[in-house]
Amino acid sequence: MAYELEALGKKVERQKPVPLFYEQVKLECGFRADLVIEDRVIVEIKCKEALHPVDEAQLLSHLRLLDISVGLLINFHVVLLRDGIKELGE
């Protein structure tokens, strides 16, 4: 997926560190976002039988911490890929 987006000329960051702040402490790599595209969209990639609320919570946390408003949660463990894509955001 990253390869195809880069071939289209898009800026793609893979496994981008998501800093985490707690009071005065900054953890440089509290989390990692699977893909960040053009600093505008976060893509979290899964391959599991079913997505769970914690998967959505993870993406929502990444969106909030990186100040990005659109996220895609993509599960590749489906027959039709369109059935495995969920858009989240504010």
Side-chain angles (χ1 to χ4, degrees):
M1 177 181 281
Y3 171 82
E4 292 293 334
L5 289 165
E6 289 169 340
L8 293 171
K10 303 296 182 192
K11 176 184 157 199
V12 179
E13 296 174 83
R14 303 172 195 196
Q15 294 297 308
K16 179 175 179 153
V18 179
L20 179 64
F21 297 90
Y22 178 73
E23 293 183 2
Q24 306 300 337
V25 178
K26 178 182 178 186
L27 301 174
E28 288 296 329
C29 187
F31 304 104
R32 289 193 183 274
D34 290 337
L35 297 174
V36 178
I37 304 160
E38 297 281 319
D39 293 319
R40 298 179 64 197
V41 178
I42 296 175
V43 178
E44 279 299 312
I45 299 170
K46 306 291 182 189
C47 187
K48 51 204 271 186
E49 267 191 52
L51 295 175
H52 301 288
V54 70
D55 299 315
E56 291 182 24
Q58 175 190 19
L59 179 54
L60 290 172
S61 292
H62 291 176
L63 290 170
R64 187 177 67 254
L65 291 168
L66 290 174
D67 195 26
I68 294 176
S69 59
V70 177
L72 294 175
L73 186 56
I74 301 177
N75 184 14
F76 282 96
H77 196 278
V78 291
V79 175
L80 295 173
L81 184 57
R82 69 173 175 246
D83 295 335
I85 299 173
K86 183 164 189 175
E87 182 177 344
L88 297 173
E90 300 168 359

